[in-house]
Amino acid sequence: MTKSSLRDDLLVIYDTLRAAFGYQHWWPAETPFETMVGAILAQTVSWTNAAKAIANLKDAGMLDPGRLAAADTGDIARLIVPSRFYNQKAERIREFSRIHIDEFQADPAVMAAMETDALRKRLLAVRGLGKETVDTILLYACEKPIFVVDAYTRRIFSRYGLLPENPSYDRTQRLFADNLPRDAGLFNDYHAQIVMLGKIACRKSPLCDQCPIRMVHGSLRCGTPDPRDP
Ligand code: SF4
């Protein structure tokens, strides 16, 4: 497949998902700092659980870098119990808040002004922040054109035949980064559409008859047969 036809296919898949699901308006947060904390809280849990933890932090007046950096981790942990692994996440949030203050003046604009690769490298060095969390912060809080990869992305595009089975994070990210325009707005909503598709149709046991991209046009179709077809 040529680079331009791969780009066209990825764009048509996005357009088809967007037509089916509508624009997703991500990230669901009131401030960039809330997005950063939300990215940590959402590690390995559903957004519903992370959102409950965010609501608790807000209700307690704790969704603030200064308060989180100065807080006892036990106090943070008690507020974020719904996000699971709350002791670990409390330490990560406190450490991240300290760095946000010490190195970025607690100003998301200062963070966003840093060169993308250097910022990614710095955030990946923070204990407990992996590639998905860091890329979520880069894209959704700093508006950097970085494609976020999650389990849905790997599963869907592997099933579709555009990636090998069990692709790595980096291999999956390159599929989008190398073939799509580097556009933060496009990357923002493309990832959100993928999450929607993963929840609605491309589950572990896929519901292919409900999948808007099962057959986009003659040559652009999913390579995985519907398991319920005779
Ligand atoms: S057709 Fe089925 S396996 Fe393929 S992307 Fe859609 S839900 Fe997933």
Side-chain angles (χ1 to χ4, degrees), residues 38 40-51 82-85 89:
I40 296 171
L41 290 170
Q43 291 171 330
T44 66
V45 294
S46 70
W47 175 247
T48 308
N49 287 58
S83 74
R84 299 176 63 209
F85 309 109
K89 288 182 180 178

Side-chain angles (χ1 to χ4, degrees), residues 156 159-160 197 201-202 206-208 211 213-214 222 224:
I156 291 165
R159 284 174 170 172
Y160 218 79
L197 179 63
C202 205
L207 306 172
C208 299
C211 179
I213 58 169
R214 182 180 184 191
C222 184
T224 298

Side-chain angles (χ1 to χ4, degrees), residues 30 62 67 95 141-142 151 181 200:
E30 290 173 0
M62 287 294 291
R67 290 195 184 130
E95 175 68 8
C142 300
I200 286 182

Side-chain angles (χ1 to χ4, degrees), residues 24 30 63 76 84 98 130 134 136 162 175-176 205 207 230:
Q24 294 297 301
E30 290 173 0
L63 196 53
I76 301 172
R84 299 176 63 209
R98 284 181 177 167
V134 167
T136 299
L162 296 178
L175 171 69
F176 299 92
S205 298
L207 306 172

Side-chain angles (χ1 to χ4, degrees), residues 145-158:
I146 294 285
F147 204 91
V148 176
V149 171
D150 66 351
Y152 290 136
T153 319
R154 289 193 183 95
R155 176 194 293 164
I156 291 165
F157 286 87
S158 168

Side-chain angles (χ1 to χ4, degrees), residues 30-36 65 96 100-101 103-114 119 123 137-138 140-144:
E30 290 173 0
T31 66
F33 183 70
E34 183 180 327
T35 300
M36 296 171 194
F96 178 82
H100 189 44
I101 293 167
E103 299 181 29
F104 303 102
Q105 301 160 42
D107 184 350
V110 172
M111 187 184 282
M114 191 169 172
L119 178 58
L123 295 181
I137 292 170
L138 291 176
Y140 290 104
C142 300
E143 298 182 15
K144 302 281 194 186

Side-chain angles (χ1 to χ4, degrees), residues 58-219:
K58 275 187 184 171
D59 290 348
M62 287 294 291
L63 196 53
D64 170 85
R67 290 195 184 130
L68 286 169
D72 184 89
T73 50
D75 292 336
I76 301 172
R78 272 188 286 284
L79 293 168
I80 63 168
V81 166
S83 74
R84 299 176 63 209
F85 309 109
Y86 41 86
N87 288 320
Q88 283 177 341
K89 288 182 180 178
E91 282 177 18
R92 288 172 191 170
I93 287 169
R94 190 173 72 162
E95 175 68 8
F96 178 82
S97 298
R98 284 181 177 167
I99 290 168
H100 189 44
I101 293 167
D102 293 347
E103 299 181 29
F104 303 102
Q105 301 160 42
D107 184 350
V110 172
M111 187 184 282
M114 191 169 172
E115 192 273 325
T116 303
D117 289 345
L119 178 58
R120 189 172 194 262
K121 198 169 166 195
R122 174 65 192 99
L123 295 181
L124 282 172
V126 178
R127 200 155 45 102
L129 300 200
K131 290 176 182 174
E132 184 180 340
T133 306
V134 167
D135 289 343
T136 299
I137 292 170
L138 291 176
L139 177 62
Y140 290 104
C142 300
E143 298 182 15
K144 302 281 194 186
I146 294 285
F147 204 91
V148 176
V149 171
D150 66 351
Y152 290 136
T153 319
R154 289 193 183 95
R155 176 194 293 164
I156 291 165
F157 286 87
S158 168
R159 284 174 170 172
Y160 218 79
L162 296 178
L163 286 170
E165 222 174 305
N166 299 317
S168 67
Y169 189 99
D170 294 346
R171 173 72 182 81
T172 307
Q173 192 173 53
R174 281 202 304 276
L175 171 69
F176 299 92
D178 291 353
N179 293 292
L180 289 173
R182 282 174 65 83
D183 178 336
L186 173 64
F187 287 2
N188 173 321
D189 196 53
Y190 207 139
H191 175 65
Q193 298 292 344
I194 287 169
V195 172
M196 195 70 172
L197 179 63
K199 283 183 184 164
I200 286 182
C202 205
R203 302 174 180 176
K204 278 185 185 158
S205 298
L207 306 172
C208 299
D209 57 339
Q210 295 176 33
C211 179
I213 58 169
R214 182 180 184 191
M215 192 173 78
V216 179
H217 58 64
S219 62

